[in-house]
Amino acid sequence: MDVPILRFDRYNQPGPHILSVGPRVSLEITRGRVQQRLRPVRGRVFLIGTANDCDLVLGDLSFPEAYAYLFVQGAKVTIRRLGAGPELLICDEAVETADLLNGDRMVFGPFELRVLIDGQFPGRRDAVCRRESAGESLVSDSADCESNDDQW
């Protein structure tokens, strides 16, 4: 009978195999009414929309239930707009999909967010993406944005 032999020695020891973890990604809500301004992106997919099971729930009915999602794959973070709803701007450029870098500014409808990726320097050379908050309020009351706390 051909049965593989499994040997346990110092080169082949049983134990947990830990996969490498990508960068810590967060979204800082810089425009929109919020309870929690900094939102960590947990997991590989982070859904943005008006549905209650989204990771970032938008309180504006001009958005669909699923508006866009962030996809974290290794050190790469990508956003993709799912088609319906207001235009998605990354550093003042209208996009359907884009690779995100630390400090990038995302604007959609009345909401504005800044991408924070640990271990990266601000990525875009455009000064608009890295505008400082000197003298301006980061969180205004112009829109509602809430978190699905079940995911945190």
Side-chain angles (χ1 to χ4, degrees):
M1 185 159 106
D2 291 335
V3 177
I5 299 172
L6 183 60
R7 292 182 350 171
F8 295 105
D9 57 23
R10 65 185 177 131
Y11 300 108
N12 182 17
Q13 295 181 0
H17 296 282
I18 300 172
L19 298 175
S20 63
V21 177
R24 248 185 357 197
V25 180
S26 298
L27 299 177
E28 179 183 20
I29 301 165
T30 56
R31 188 175 66 207
R33 189 176 7 190
V34 296
Q35 293 177 4
Q36 180 186 356
R37 187 170 63 144
L38 195 62
R39 307 294 170 85
V41 174
R42 302 189 194 273
R44 291 179 52 167
V45 178
F46 186 88
L47 188 60
I48 301 170
T50 58
N52 287 334
D53 58 348
C54 288
D55 298 301
L56 183 64
V57 179
L58 305 174
D60 185 331
L61 296 179
S62 66
F63 288 88
E65 287 189 346
Y67 171 70
Y69 68 90
L70 267 67
F71 183 62
V72 180
Q73 184 177 23
K76 184 177 176 181
V77 180
T78 305
I79 188 166
R80 173 171 238 152
R81 182 175 170 261
L82 296 173
E87 181 174 63
L88 171 63
L89 301 173
I90 304 296
C91 294
D92 291 333
E93 181 181 333
V95 298
E96 293 297 315
T97 186
D99 291 336
L100 298 174
L101 301 172
N102 186 39
D104 282 356
R105 191 176 55 137
M106 302 181 348
V107 177
F108 41 91
F111 305 103
E112 181 176 316
L113 294 83
R114 188 173 65 182
V115 179
L116 303 173
I117 303 173
D118 285 355
Q120 281 189 8
F121 294 105
R124 305 266 190 227
R125 281 126 318 267
D126 195 357
V128 173
C129 288
R130 291 178 270 136
R131 78 176 178 178
E132 297 298 322
S133 61
E136 70 181 82
S137 173
L138 287 177
V139 179
S140 69
D141 291 335
S142 62
D144 292 323
C145 190
E146 59 187 59
S147 171
N148 185 346
D149 291 330
D150 294 338
Q151 300 296 320
W152 309 119

